[in-house]
Amino acid sequence: MIATSDSGGKGSQQGGRMVRTGWLLALAGLLWLPASTAAQEATTVFVVRHAERASSETDSPLSEVGRTRASALAHALASARIDAIFTSQFKRTQETAAPLAAATGLAAQTVDARDQEALVKAIAALPPGSRVLVVSHSNLVPVIVTRLSGQPVPEMTEAEFDWLYQVTMTTPGRGTVIPLRYGGPSAKH
């Protein structure tokens, strides 16, 4: 209990400061609470392009370099506590996610590459605080990142395989983006 004196002396000044300090600490605690709750409710989504493929066939598997990159992705996200993995219907996206899926025991969920709305809805339906990997395609990664965060990112070239975008999504279409790289640098064509 804080004691104050009516005498207007030094005790009253100290008591007043203690009361003000107590109120400031309480106010700071209230201001901190919503921010920490919002951070806990954000969904973290890691979005990558599939790794290098063996050929230009429509449903080509990964090349040896691509399998190495897929392992590097699993290593890069090993401590990320991934809760869900999404790929497209193509082998190269599924094979890129496979090492992380095996390490986490998660089954990758397939969403048609043409249906970005279904992908965003599936991610938004996950529990708050989820951590997700999305493996897609060079022409779709910027679209996915923008739809999740509202933040535009540059288009990818056919020679870029090492970008990893970390999206912190508060609601679909609102969030922040951190562009990262993983594995070895992409080969220049």
Side-chain angles (χ1 to χ4, degrees):
M1 181 172 184
I2 300 173
T4 60
S5 168
D6 290 332
S7 66
K10 188 174 181 177
S12 175
Q13 291 174 348
Q14 288 176 344
R17 266 186 258 150
M18 290 175 65
V19 169
R20 281 192 300 273
T21 301
W23 279 107
L24 288 174
L25 289 174
L27 180 59
L30 290 174
L31 292 175
W32 176 82
L33 183 61
S36 66
T37 302
Q40 291 172 354
E41 293 176 359
T43 298
T44 303
V45 186
F46 299 94
V47 184
V48 298
R49 177 192 184 184
H50 62 78
E52 292 88 340
R53 59 186 183 172
S55 72
S56 60
E57 292 176 27
T58 302
D59 200 16
S60 172
L62 294 182
S63 66
E64 187 61 38
V65 171
R67 286 190 293 279
T68 300
R69 183 173 303 283
S71 293
L73 178 62
H75 180 73
L77 297 179
S79 62
R81 300 181 329 272
I82 299 296
D83 301 304
I85 299 172
F86 293 94
T87 67
S88 76
Q89 68 273 25
F90 295 101
K91 286 180 195 172
R92 58 191 177 272
T93 63
Q94 296 164 6
E95 290 179 5
T96 301
L100 184 63
T104 59
L106 296 170
Q109 301 173 51
T110 303
V111 177
D112 190 298
R114 297 165 295 196
D115 196 352
Q116 300 310 301
E117 185 176 335
L119 175 64
V120 172
K121 283 182 180 179
I123 293 168
L126 295 170
S130 293
R131 300 173 69 78
V132 181
L133 170 64
V134 173
V135 183
S136 193
H137 304 271
S138 61
N139 61 325
L140 297 175
V141 166
V143 174
I144 294 166
V145 170
T146 301
R147 291 200 65 180
L148 293 172
S149 68
Q151 305 294 318
V153 296
E155 291 183 10
M156 299 175 78
T157 69
E158 285 297 311
E160 292 179 295
F161 296 93
D162 56 349
W163 284 106
L164 184 154
Y165 291 97
Q166 179 180 329
V167 177
T168 303
M169 182 182 78
T170 52
T171 61
R174 292 196 63 170
T176 59
V177 178
I178 301 173
L180 305 165
R181 291 188 184 262
Y182 76 99
S186 294
K188 304 295 180 220
H189 292 284

